[in-house]
Amino acid sequence: MHVVTYAYKIFVWRGRERERAGIIMFVDTSYFSCMAHIAYLFPNSPHTDLPLFSLCSMYDTMEEEEYEFHSVDLPDEPYFCPQVEFNNKPDSLFFNDGVRRIDFILVYEDEDKKDFEKRHTFQRRRETFEASLMKMGMELEATQSVTDEKLMFLKVHMPWDTLCTYAEVLHIKLPIQPNDLSSRPSPWRFFSCITKHFYPNEELITKEAEFFTAPFEKKRLEYFHVRDKDVFFTAAMRSRMAYYILSRAPYEIRGNIKKFGVTKLLDAGVYKAAYPLHDCRFNVKSQEEGCPNERYLLYEEWAHPKSFYKMQPLNLIRKYYGEKVGIYFAWLGFYTRMLALAAVVGLCCFIYGYTTQETSTWSKEVCDPEIGGKIVMCPQCDRECKYWTLDSTCEASKRILCIFRCFLLSHYCPVCFLSLVTLFLEFWKRYQAELEYTWDTVEFLEQEELPRPEYEAKCIYERKNPVTGIKENVPYTACGRCVRVSIGIGTVLFWILLIIASIVAIIVYRLAAFFAFSTKLRSQDLKELQTLKEYVTPQMATSVTASLISFVIIMILNILYERVAIWITDFELPRTKTDYENSLTMKMFLFQFVNYYSSCFYIAFAKGKAVGYPGDPAYLLGKYRNEECDPGGCLIELTTQLSIIMGGKAILNNIQEVLLPWVKNLIFRYCTSAASEKLIPRWEQDYQLQALTKLGLFYEYLEMVIQFGFVTLFVASFPLAPVLALVNNIFEIRVDAWKITTQFRRIVPEKAQDIGAWQPILQGIAILAVATNAMIIAFTSDMIPRLVYYWSFSVYPYGDHSNNTMQGYINSSLSIFNIADFSNNSKPMSTPYNITTCRYRDFRNPPGHPRQYQYNVYYWHVIAAKMAFIIVVEHIVYLTKFILSYVIPDVPYAVKEQIKREKYLTQVILHETNLKLVTRRLKPFDDGTLTRTEVNLTQEEMELDF
C-alpha cells in the first residue's frame, strides 16, 4: 500500500540467538516523509550501505504486494510461549526472573479445556499472534491461574531496544535538560500555612523536577536525560507502546485479507482480557522493592472520601493514567471551581427572594381572600372543567415563584452568570495551554496520530494525495464518502424526528392528564386531600407526572441513541482515533441535546403561547385543547421539569457508575472465595476487576456537558441549578476517582492535547444560553409585564395611582370574558358561582368593547418591552463576551516563553550535532587525492547523517 506502512524492529528467534533485521517505517511514501519517519538501519540489514535518499526511492518503486499494510509478515511457524509457575510474590510486577518488567497482560482459557470445535481455531490464532509479537520485539511468559485452572495469564515485556524504537515511532517526548526558567511565585504563598491543607501531602506525593523535552531519537540517546534505563520510560509510556504493538500484530491471512489486532481477538473470544497492571493494591502498599505505589498514593490523597476537600494531584494522575484521563479530571476540577462563583450568586438570589416573598405586593393580591379569593377564573379545558378562584394557586405558584423571580434575577442570569461562563471558558483555555506545555502535548498534531487499524485494513481504493501529489490508498472513493455521509446524516435526522415524536406524545399526555386532574383536584367533594389542596393543583400534578414519564423515555432512548451513534460512526470510518471520538461526540451530543432539552424548550417557549381565549380556544390535532400556563406563568413547571431530570439523572448515573461495578466485583470475589486463602498474583487481582469500556471517559464528559447545558441554558428559571451542580460535582470528582482507582482495571494510557470536540460544544452552549435565558425572562416569566405595569400602567394616563406601584397588577393582567360567549363544545357543564363573567390570563379587550377579545394597548407595550429587553441584553452580554475573549489571551505569556526556550534547546542540542558531523566530513576535492568512489561514499555518509 502507498499510504501507511509501519516498520518495526524485528527480533526473529532462532533458539537462543537473535538476529537483528533492519526495517524502514513510513507514514506515507512521499520523499519528505521518508526523511521525517526513518526508523533505524541495523547492522545486518541488506540496505545498510544505501543512502537515505536511495532507500526512499527504492521503497517508493516497490510493487504493492511487497509492502501491504504491515511490514511484519506472519511467522513461518508458530511460537510456543514458555510457561512458568507462580513464584509466590503477589506484589511482583516482573517476570519470574525479577528483571523484566510486565508491560501488559493477556488472559485466555487453556485450549485443552475447550470443546473440540474452538480448540484448533483459537489455538492457531493465539499461537500465531504470539509469534508475531515475538517477531516484533516483545518477550512473553505464561503462567497458570491460582484460582481457576482453565485460565492462563500471558505476561508481555518490551526490551530496551524495542522501547526505543516505538518511542520514536509514537513521537514520545522525553527530558533533555532541566528547566532553567524561574517559575513565578504563587500569589497565595503568603497563605501557605492555610492553603497547604487543601493540597495533597507533599511528603507522599513529591513534586517532580521540570525538564525541557524533545521527541525521542535513539541515535541521539546521549543527549537525553537518562539516569536509569529501567525508569526512563514510565509505566504509562510502556503500556501505551505495548498496546500499540498489540493492536497491530497480525494473526491470520485469508486470501488478500490480513487480520490483526488484539481487539478482534478479544471480540472473537480468543483472549478474555487485555490490560496493563496496577502497581499495587489500592489500600495496601506493595512489598515489592522499588515499587512506586502510585495507585496507593492516588487512593489516599485523591480517591478516598476523606480527601474530598483537597486539590487533585493532576501530575500523578497523568503519570499513572495518561494525558487523556488527566485532562478530563483537570477540566472537571476547573469547571467545579468556577461553579462555586455562580453558586454564590444563585444562592444570594434565592435567599433574597425567600426573605422578600411576604413583602411582594402582587403575591399578596393573589393570596388575599378579598382580591384573589373573589376573582373567578375561566375553566382551562372543555365541558368537564370547572370555574375556580385565583387564590387556590397561592401556595403552589405565587409564593414559590416569587423565590425565583426576584428583581436580582433579571441581572443575574443574562449578564453576571453568562459573564462567569465566558470567564470559565477563557480561563480554561489558558489553564489548558499550561497543561499542554507541562504534559508535552503542545505539538501533538493530527499528522503525528497514526491511523486506526480498522481504517488501514479497508484501504483498497487509490487516489492522488492533494498535498504531496503522490498516490495513496483510502478506504472509499469520493462518491463512496458522499454516500456514507449522506446515510449518516439521514439516520441522525430520522432519530431526531423520533425524539420529536416522543415529545409530541408527552404533550398529548399532558393535555389529557390536565383534563383528568382538573375534574378531580378542583372538586369540592375531594375530602382526602384537603390539607394538600392548595399545593396539589391540576397544573402541578400534570407537570410532575409528565416530567417523570419524560425522564423514563429519555433514559430508554439514550440506550438506543448510543448504539445508533456508534453504528453511524463506524460506518463513516474515521481515519484516526481522535477523528472517531470527535465524530461520535457530535452525534451523541446532538441526540442528547434534543432528548434532554426538548421538553424544557416546550415548556419554556411553546406551552401557553397559542391557546386563544375561552370563547375561541386553540386545539392540537383538532382534538386536544392546548394547555395553558398557570396564572403565574410556566416558570414553576419548567423548574419542576429541570429538578426531576437533573436529580433523576444524577441518581441513576451514580447507580450505574458506582453501585453496579462494586456489586459485580463483589459477586466475582464471592465466586472465587474458595481460593481466597491463596496468594493471588498482581495480574490475577486486576483480572477480578471490571474492564472500563472503550467509551468510558466519553460518557463522563457527556454527563458533565449535559449538566453544563442545564446550568446555563435554563438558569433563569432555576437559579439554584449551579448550587446543585456544584454539590454534585464535588462528589462526582471523588466518585470517578474512586471508581477508576479501586473498581476498574488500569486504563490503557492515551495521549490527548485538549478536551477535543467538547470545547466547541461548550462554546456553542454558552452562546445559545444568552438567547435562551433572555427569552425565558422575557416570554416565560412575567417580569416584563410587571415592569411595564409598574412604570407605565400604574400611573397616569393608564392608571389611577399617583406613584409607581404594583397594586392592581393582578387585576390588570387578567382579561374579562362573558360566560354567555362560550361555544357549545367548551361551555362548562355547571356554574357553581353566581357570575356572568370570568377571568383569564391575557391582555385582551373586555366584552362590549368595539374590538372585544382582541389584544389591547397593554399587550403591545409588553411585546415591545420584551423585544427591547432581548435585544439590549443579548448585545450587552455578547459585547462582554467579546471583550473578555479579546482581553484574556489563550496562552499565558510565561508558557509562551517556555515553549520558545524549549524549541531553541531542541534545535541546539538535537540538530547542531548534524552540522558538526557534516563540517568534519567535508574535504577538499581539488588535490586529486580522492577517487570518485570515495567522493560518492562521502556524499552518502553526509546524506545519512542529515
Side-chain angles (χ1 to χ4, degrees):
M1 292 177 61
H2 294 280
V3 182
V4 181
T5 55
Y6 294 97
Y8 303 94
K9 181 181 175 184
I10 302 176
F11 290 86
V12 182
W13 288 78
R14 294 291 185 266
R16 296 183 179 181
E17 295 182 358
R18 301 180 186 179
E19 177 183 354
R20 296 195 298 172
I23 300 296
I24 306 297
M25 189 280 295
F26 303 96
V27 171
D28 56 47
T29 59
S30 66
Y31 166 78
F32 293 104
S33 296
C34 293
M35 288 287 292
H37 299 287
I38 187 74
Y40 299 101
L41 299 176
F42 296 105
N44 293 338
S45 171
H47 308 304
T48 303
D49 56 343
L50 294 179
L52 174 61
F53 301 157
S54 301
L55 286 170
C56 294
S57 302
M58 178 190 68
Y59 278 88
D60 273 338
T61 57
M62 287 175 63
E63 295 296 331
E64 183 174 350
E65 299 82 23
E66 295 184 34
Y67 61 110
E68 181 184 2
F69 176 55
H70 284 284
S71 59
V72 175
D73 296 324
L74 291 179
D76 297 332
E77 55 186 30
Y79 169 80
F80 297 95
C81 176
Q83 183 173 339
V84 298
E85 297 292 334
F86 173 49
N87 58 4
N88 294 322
K89 292 183 179 180
D91 294 329
S92 177
L93 303 175
F94 297 87
F95 281 19
N96 274 16
D97 57 14
V99 176
R100 292 174 292 175
R101 179 180 293 273
I102 301 173
D103 296 316
F104 226 86
I105 290 291
L106 300 176
V107 185
Y108 63 92
E109 288 187 355
D110 191 353
E111 279 71 18
D112 293 337
K113 308 297 189 299
K114 294 180 180 178
D115 48 6
F116 179 78
E117 294 182 359
K118 293 183 178 180
R119 184 185 308 170
H120 176 70
T121 302
F122 280 20
Q123 185 172 2
R124 176 174 51 82
R125 289 182 175 181
R126 183 179 60 78
E127 291 176 353
T128 306
F129 181 74
E130 293 173 7
S132 299
L133 295 179
M134 296 295 297
K135 194 175 181 181
M136 295 163 66
M138 286 187 162
E139 298 178 2
L140 309 177
E141 183 179 87
T143 184
Q144 192 177 31
S145 168
V146 299
T147 60
D148 187 352
E149 62 178 8
K150 295 182 180 180
L151 289 180
M152 297 293 295
F153 291 86
L154 183 66
K155 295 174 277 187
V156 178
H157 169 73
M158 296 184 67
W160 170 256
D161 288 339
T162 308
L163 288 171
C164 292
T165 300
Y166 287 96
E168 188 165 0
V169 169
L170 296 177
H171 302 273
I172 294 178
K173 285 189 171 183
L174 291 164
I176 55 176
Q177 179 178 314
N179 191 334
D180 56 359
L181 293 179
S182 58
S183 59
R184 297 182 180 180
S186 172
W188 307 103
R189 64 186 184 280
F190 300 107
F191 306 97
S192 58
C193 58
I194 300 176
T195 58
K196 68 178 183 180
H197 299 291
F198 296 94
Y199 286 86
N201 190 343
E202 294 183 357
E203 296 180 358
L204 296 177
I205 303 178
T206 58
K207 186 177 180 180
E208 297 184 0
E210 296 183 1
F211 287 88
F212 292 117
T213 60
F216 182 78
E217 293 184 47
K218 185 177 180 181
K219 63 182 178 182
R220 296 188 176 95
L221 182 61
E222 65 273 15
Y223 296 106
F224 288 88
H225 197 270
V226 184
R227 291 183 178 178
D228 186 352
K229 290 184 177 182
D230 293 335
V231 296
F232 181 63
F233 296 103
T234 64
M237 293 178 185
R238 299 173 69 105
S239 299
R240 181 183 164 208
M241 289 185 278
Y243 185 75
Y244 176 83
I245 298 176
L246 290 170
S247 62
R248 285 162 172 79
Y251 62 85
E252 188 177 21
I253 292 181
R254 288 186 180 180
N256 295 327
I257 301 176
K258 181 179 290 186
K259 296 186 177 182
F260 56 89
V262 70
T263 304
K264 292 183 179 179
L265 293 176
L266 289 170
D267 294 338
V270 179
Y271 288 102
K272 297 180 67 66
Y275 52 90
L277 284 180
H278 283 296
D279 61 358
C280 65
R281 285 177 285 177
F282 70 87
N283 55 353
V284 179
K285 282 188 175 182
S286 173
Q287 301 298 321
E288 189 75 16
E289 183 178 356
C291 180
N293 289 296
E294 291 173 347
R295 186 190 185 194
Y296 173 79
L297 297 178
L298 286 172
Y299 176 74
E300 289 293 320
E301 297 297 317
W302 178 48
H304 199 285
K306 69 178 182 181
S307 301
F308 76 95
Y309 61 92
K310 291 185 178 182
M311 303 293 287
Q312 301 183 87
L314 294 177
N315 288 329
L316 185 58
I317 297 171
R318 173 252 181 172
K319 181 181 177 183
Y320 193 75
Y321 290 114
E323 288 82 3
K324 193 169 186 177
V325 175
I327 202 75
Y328 163 73
F329 281 102
W331 175 81
L332 182 56
F334 192 84
Y335 168 49
T336 303
R337 290 196 296 272
M338 294 301 294
L339 271 177
L341 299 176
V344 170
V345 181
L347 190 61
C348 292
C349 181
F350 177 86
I351 295 173
Y352 175 83
Y354 184 81
T355 56
T356 58
Q357 61 177 326
E358 298 296 337
T359 62
S360 175
T361 302
W362 55 273
S363 178
K364 288 181 179 180
E365 291 184 353
V366 172
C367 300
D368 190 347
E370 298 298 322
I371 301 177
K374 293 183 178 181
I375 297 178
V376 179
M377 303 296 295
C378 298
Q380 292 182 317
C381 65
D382 296 335
R383 304 291 293 169
E384 297 293 336
C385 293
K386 298 178 173 59
Y387 297 94
W388 51 285
T389 57
L390 183 61
D391 63 344
S392 64
T393 64
C394 175
E395 295 296 333
S397 278
K398 293 300 179 180
R399 293 198 176 182
I400 296 177
L401 281 175
C402 74
I403 296 175
F404 303 102
R405 296 190 302 180
C406 61
F407 183 72
L408 284 177
L409 193 58
S410 62
H411 299 82
Y412 160 66
C413 289
V415 180
C416 180
F417 179 77
L418 296 174
S419 296
L420 289 177
V421 172
T422 302
L423 287 174
F424 158 65
L425 295 175
E426 293 303 319
F427 281 118
W428 165 247
K429 291 179 183 177
R430 291 171 58 84
Y431 186 51
Q432 186 173 253
E434 295 179 11
L435 293 177
E436 286 178 15
Y437 172 75
T438 306
W439 293 353
D440 298 323
T441 60
V442 174
E443 297 179 355
F444 180 60
L445 305 177
E446 183 180 357
Q447 57 264 31
E448 294 183 7
E449 188 176 7
L450 300 173
R452 297 187 307 131
E454 293 83 357
Y455 177 91
E456 297 169 328
K458 297 182 180 180
C459 289
I460 58 176
Y461 299 101
E462 191 176 81
R463 72 158 188 173
K464 185 177 181 180
N465 191 301
V467 179
T468 62
I470 297 176
K471 291 183 179 180
E472 63 180 10
N473 281 19
V474 293
Y476 33 65
T477 61
C479 181
R481 178 176 177 81
C482 182
V483 171
R484 288 172 181 265
V485 173
S486 300
I487 293 176
I489 294 175
T491 307
V492 170
L493 293 178
F494 169 78
W495 282 90
I496 290 178
L497 292 176
L498 182 62
I499 302 173
I500 296 175
S502 68
I503 298 302
V504 173
I506 294 176
I507 293 174
V508 172
Y509 164 80
R510 296 177 70 97
L511 300 179
F514 179 78
F515 176 83
F517 287 129
S518 296
T519 59
K520 297 289 185 182
L521 298 180
R522 287 204 173 106
S523 174
Q524 299 297 327
D525 300 328
L526 195 62
K527 304 296 184 182
E528 60 271 17
L529 293 177
Q530 287 299 320
T531 57
L532 300 176
K533 190 175 180 180
E534 292 184 343
Y535 299 93
V536 185
T537 61
Q539 291 90 347
M540 180 60 67
T542 302
S543 178
V544 172
T545 55
S547 298
L548 291 173
I549 294 173
S550 177
F551 173 73
V552 173
I553 293 177
I554 286 172
M555 293 296 106
I556 294 174
L557 290 179
N558 278 344
I559 300 174
L560 300 177
Y561 297 152
E562 174 186 341
R563 298 182 180 181
V564 171
I566 293 175
W567 178 84
I568 297 174
T569 309
D570 290 338
F571 180 75
E572 291 177 353
L573 202 62
R575 181 177 181 272
T576 65
K577 188 171 183 180
T578 300
D579 293 339
Y580 182 90
E581 291 180 351
N582 290 344
S583 178
L584 181 62
T585 296
M586 295 303 298
K587 293 180 181 62
M588 280 294 291
F589 178 76
L590 186 60
F591 285 148
Q592 299 279 20
F593 183 90
V594 179
N595 195 22
Y596 276 107
Y597 303 142
S598 54
S599 59
C600 297
F601 276 105
Y602 163 74
I603 295 174
F605 305 123
K607 182 182 177 183
K609 301 301 185 292
V611 296
Y613 61 96
D616 185 22
Y619 291 88
L620 178 66
L621 304 178
K623 179 180 180 181
Y624 299 98
R625 181 171 171 176
N626 285 356
E627 190 179 8
E628 298 182 28
C629 290
D630 186 90
C634 290
L635 212 59
I636 186 63
E637 296 185 39
L638 182 56
T639 302
T640 303
Q641 180 85 1
L642 290 170
S643 302
I644 290 177
I645 293 179
M646 286 186 66
K649 183 174 179 294
I651 294 173
L652 188 61
N653 284 337
N654 286 329
I655 292 176
Q656 291 177 339
E657 294 179 5
V658 179
L659 188 59
L660 290 181
W662 180 77
V663 170
K664 289 180 180 178
N665 289 335
L666 191 65
I667 295 174
F668 190 90
R669 285 193 295 268
Y670 176 79
C671 294
T672 57
S673 59
S676 60
E677 297 182 359
K678 298 181 180 180
L679 289 175
I680 302 178
R682 171 80 268 136
W683 49 86
E684 195 157 353
Q685 295 177 38
D686 286 2
Y687 178 69
Q688 295 177 356
L689 301 177
Q690 293 297 305
L692 194 67
T693 61
K694 298 177 182 178
L695 301 175
L697 207 58
F698 168 83
Y699 294 112
E700 303 297 339
Y701 272 116
L702 183 61
E703 177 187 356
M704 290 296 102
V705 171
I706 293 296
Q707 182 203 87
F708 180 81
F710 280 121
V711 170
T712 55
L713 293 175
F714 306 103
V715 70
S717 65
F718 194 25
L720 282 181
V723 180
L724 300 181
L726 175 64
V727 175
N728 176 79
N729 287 7
I730 291 175
F731 288 98
E732 181 74 19
I733 293 175
R734 306 303 162 175
V735 165
D736 288 346
W738 177 84
K739 177 180 63 177
I740 70 170
T741 305
T742 66
Q743 302 302 310
F744 285 89
R745 299 168 190 161
R746 190 170 182 175
I747 303 170
V748 178
E750 294 184 47
K751 199 171 184 179
Q753 186 178 20
D754 48 35
I755 60 176
W758 299 112
Q759 185 80 25
I761 287 175
L762 294 174
Q763 296 279 5
I765 291 176
I767 294 173
L768 182 61
V770 178
T772 56
N773 282 284
M775 293 176 66
I776 286 174
I777 295 174
F779 293 105
T780 308
S781 73
D782 63 344
M783 189 197 77
I784 300 299
R786 285 189 285 117
L787 291 177
V788 170
Y789 177 83
Y790 180 82
W791 292 107
S792 298
F793 284 82
S794 63
V795 294
Y796 180 83
Y798 300 106
D800 301 329
H801 301 282
S802 57
N803 297 319
N804 299 101
T805 180
M806 287 301 297
Q807 292 182 2
Y809 167 72
I810 295 299
N811 185 65
S812 176
S813 64
L814 298 176
S815 298
I816 302 174
F817 180 76
N818 190 341
I819 61 176
D821 295 334
F822 272 119
S823 63
N824 294 330
N825 293 330
S826 59
K827 185 176 181 179
M829 299 177 62
S830 61
T831 307
Y833 302 98
N834 186 19
I835 57 174
T836 58
T837 62
C838 61
R839 310 295 293 272
Y840 60 99
R841 188 176 186 267
D842 210 340
F843 303 106
R844 295 178 182 267
N845 293 317
H849 192 277
R851 301 181 62 185
Q852 68 175 2
Y853 304 135
Q854 295 186 15
Y855 292 118
N856 56 23
V857 66
Y858 191 179
Y859 172 81
W860 298 111
H861 276 74
V862 170
I863 289 296
K866 288 181 177 180
M867 299 306 297
F869 174 83
I870 292 175
I871 293 172
V872 171
V873 168
E874 285 187 349
H875 279 71
I876 291 176
V877 176
Y878 284 135
L879 180 61
T880 304
K881 285 172 63 65
F882 173 78
I883 294 174
L884 291 175
S885 301
Y886 180 79
V887 171
I888 302 174
D890 291 346
V891 182
Y893 179 74
V895 174
K896 290 182 179 179
E897 286 184 334
Q898 291 179 331
I899 292 174
K900 291 178 181 178
R901 172 68 174 167
E902 185 174 280
K903 287 184 177 180
Y904 170 76
L905 287 176
T906 303
Q907 225 174 2
V908 171
I909 295 177
L910 299 183
H911 296 288
E912 277 194 355
T913 307
N914 289 335
L915 298 178
K916 293 179 182 179
L917 289 173
V918 171
T919 303
R920 187 173 66 249
R921 296 194 178 192
L922 284 177
K923 297 180 182 180
F925 298 102
D926 56 350
D927 57 358
T929 57
L930 289 177
T931 64
R932 183 173 183 83
T933 304
E934 290 173 334
V935 172
N936 291 337
L937 183 59
T938 303
Q939 290 175 345
E940 293 172 2
E941 291 174 351
M942 290 169 57
E943 290 170 352
L944 281 174
D945 288 334
F946 242 149

